[in-house]
Amino acid sequence: MPSLSEAFRGHPVYLHHKHPDFNSLQKLPDSYAWTTQPDNHIHPNSTVPVIDFNHPNAPNLVRHACRTWGVFQLISHGVPISLFARMHKATLALFSLPLHQKLKAARSPDAVSGYGRARISSFFPKLMWSECFTIIDSPLQLFLHLWPQHYAIYCDIVMEYQAAMEKLAAKLMCLVLASLGISKEDIKWAGPRGEFDGACAALHLNSYPSCPDPDRAMGLAAHTDSTLLTILHQNNVNGLQVLKEGEGWVAVPPLPGGLVINVGDLLHILSNGLYPSVVHRVRVNRTRQRFSVAYLYGPPTNVEISPHVKLVGPTRPALYRSVTWNEYLGTKAKHFNKALSSVRLSEPINSSFDVNEDESNDLEVVQLDSP
Ligand SMILES: C=C1C[C@]23C[C@@]1(O)CC[C@H]2[C@@]12CCC[C@@](C)(C(=O)O1)[C@H]2[C@@H]3C(=O)O
Ligand SMILES: O=C(O)CCC(=O)C(=O)O
Ligand SMILES: [Fe+2]
């Protein structure tokens, strides 16, 4: 099976601009000044659903959240707060390194892992006020460049975090599938106990330094993730916003110990459009540095993802062709926000896929095994 690190071999992304030392910039350079944004308005009264993992009605709550929002905040997920605190310490240590040190682990144009800008940068005329660090599998090789003496302590933290996310992602997959009326037995790569052993993931650390002119800057431009699910931990600084159909941008405030769960493009495809992948972006602020840790979770790279048979029928044709994660990442690298429509087969026959339709339809929510 090809590894995720091979996804961009045929699709290099060249980010021409020299990476800046954000802390030394007192004024927003023109290359970072986004022209007036018509959508700076934040919907004040709208709130992303918060779901308790142990709620007896969790599958229905997840179904409603995924259909109407494509995102929810998860609490009572079992990951200890102390692990988030240690991961935060490692993230802070990493981004606080001098620029020349971080550049020793710079991501090359056709690689996935390493330090740099978000890949989507190349699709925008202006630069984003952020830096990021992507880790696939082991952090060891990268961390050896960053901390030749102290790499081991940071490796241990990151590996513990990856293991916790892998476990949580498998449990979440069972919950999300159940919410679609699909059981783990319906998904070949789920494994006998729903452990989703062959799943692939990338850990993406983001830093959004404080910014001298936040209203004209953009931390991370609007995008969807190409994943099945993304599990995001944010520090206690606001900035994440999601686009809600009919309402506009809605802030996703950090919840202590909470995790933001995004529907990604592959779940959009698997659910035959029932769960739309969420468009999100990050704004920056004048005084506080924001950090986030995203666990981008997908299937084994060579597994074909297509609309699930249980969600396809005479009145619900398959809306997307099948695609592997590797192929889709390549498509995204080329077409960015047109990637999903580039694998689309047809328009819905009627409105049964409209995310705003009411909740009554013929899908049964599968009962979850008790944990
Ligand atoms: C597996 C991956 C998904 C991702 C590209 C990547 O190789 C690692 C970084 C991920 C990320 C995070 C920020 C937004 C995004 C669109 C990007 O440019 O890099 C996503 C990519 C994705 O989900 O397509
Ligand atoms: O920083 C955030 O809150 C969002 C990060 C994000 O969207 C990503 O890493 O894909
Ligand atoms: Fe994202």
Side-chain angles (χ1 to χ4, degrees):
M1 179 177 72
S3 99
L4 205 51
S5 14
E6 284 161 43
F8 300 118
R9 287 277 146 81
H11 313 274
V13 174
Y14 297 97
L15 302 167
H16 298 287
H17 302 268
K18 210 172 138 264
H19 211 78
D21 190 347
F22 288 102
N23 298 326
S24 68
L25 298 173
Q26 307 291 318
K27 195 174 159 286
L28 191 72
D30 191 48
S31 50
Y32 287 83
W34 290 53
T35 41
T36 331
Q37 293 169 17
D39 53 1
N40 263 350
H41 177 75
I42 295 296
H43 205 283
N45 305 319
S46 208
T47 324
V48 169
V50 178
I51 300 180
D52 183 321
F53 207 131
N54 301 316
H55 193 286
N57 198 25
N60 273 316
L61 299 174
V62 166
R63 180 181 176 80
H64 185 261
C66 290
R67 290 191 73 174
T68 53
W69 284 86
V71 62
F72 57 93
Q73 299 227 49
L74 186 69
I75 55 169
S76 305
H77 42 67
V79 181
I81 280 223
S82 57
L83 182 54
F84 295 125
R86 286 193 301 134
M87 191 61 206
H88 176 72
K89 212 173 112 188
T91 306
L92 182 64
L94 193 159
F95 287 113
S96 304
L97 286 169
L99 181 62
H100 73 266
Q101 192 71 9
K102 290 184 273 196
L103 287 173
K104 289 186 180 159
R107 192 178 62 221
S108 57
D110 61 353
V112 178
S113 306
Y115 170 76
R117 301 177 192 288
R119 294 191 138 265
I120 56 171
S121 254
S122 58
F123 293 95
F124 295 90
K126 295 291 179 169
L127 294 169
M128 298 176 207
W129 197 260
S130 59
E131 45 186 335
C132 67
F133 200 93
T134 312
I135 302 167
I136 308 284
D137 306 324
S138 167
L140 181 62
Q141 289 312 315
L142 292 169
F143 283 13
L144 272 169
H145 293 294
L146 299 177
W147 297 286
Q149 323 293 328
H150 306 289
Y151 62 89
I153 104 166
Y154 296 116
C155 275
D156 286 350
I157 298 173
V158 166
M159 287 180 339
E160 192 179 331
Y161 194 83
Q162 287 169 318
M165 287 299 118
E166 190 181 344
K167 220 169 122 200
L168 176 62
K171 290 201 292 179
L172 255 172
M173 276 300 289
C174 290
L175 176 60
V176 168
L177 290 173
S179 76
L180 283 166
I182 299 170
S183 71
K184 53 186 185 289
E185 288 76 24
D186 295 324
I187 301 283
K188 277 200 205 92
W189 61 277
R193 288 175 303 281
E195 57 281 47
F196 294 88
D197 265 345
C200 283
L203 198 63
H204 191 69
L205 316 183
N206 298 289
S207 160
Y208 308 90
S210 54
C211 176
D213 194 353
D215 291 340
R216 295 200 302 145
M218 178 62 77
L220 188 57
H223 67 279
T224 59
D225 298 337
S226 67
T227 53
L228 284 168
L229 293 170
T230 300
I231 306 178
L232 181 97
H233 185 258
Q234 31 178 355
N235 73 337
N236 57 357
V237 179
N238 285 311
L240 176 62
Q241 300 173 355
V242 296
L243 191 60
K244 171 105 188 329
E245 203 176 297
E247 291 186 17
W249 291 104
V250 175
V252 188
L255 280 185
L259 290 166
V260 179
I261 312 297
N262 291 344
V263 171
D265 293 342
L266 290 186
L267 181 56
H268 184 127
I269 295 172
L270 181 92
S271 68
N272 205 14
L274 204 59
Y275 290 0
S277 50
V278 65
V279 177
H280 53 290
R281 69 178 186 183
V282 179
R283 301 307 304 267
V284 290
N285 79 80
R286 195 178 294 278
T287 51
R288 301 192 62 196
Q289 183 164 16
R290 179 172 190 278
F291 295 106
S292 69
V293 178
Y295 185 75
L296 295 127
Y297 180 80
T301 51
N302 58 350
V303 161
E304 298 277 348
I305 297 295
S306 51
H308 196 274
V309 285
K310 286 197 165 167
L311 305 174
V312 173
T315 58
R316 303 167 171 227
L319 294 182
Y320 299 92
R321 71 169 173 84
S322 68
V323 67
T324 65
W325 197 13
N326 258 5
E327 183 196 347
Y328 191 74
L329 282 171
T331 307
K332 193 108 175 183
K334 241 202 227 152
H335 302 295
F336 181 48
N337 59 0
K338 307 266 183 326
L340 198 53
S341 44
S342 80
V343 295
R344 186 158 181 138
L345 291 172
S346 60
E347 292 304 316
I349 284 177
N350 55 33
S351 63
S352 59
F353 292 93
D354 186 337
V355 292
N356 292 321
E357 77 172 315
D358 73 13
E359 283 298 281
S360 55
N361 69 30
D362 53 0
L363 290 171
E364 292 260 314
V365 170
V366 165
Q367 288 305 311
L368 281 183
D369 302 337
S370 32

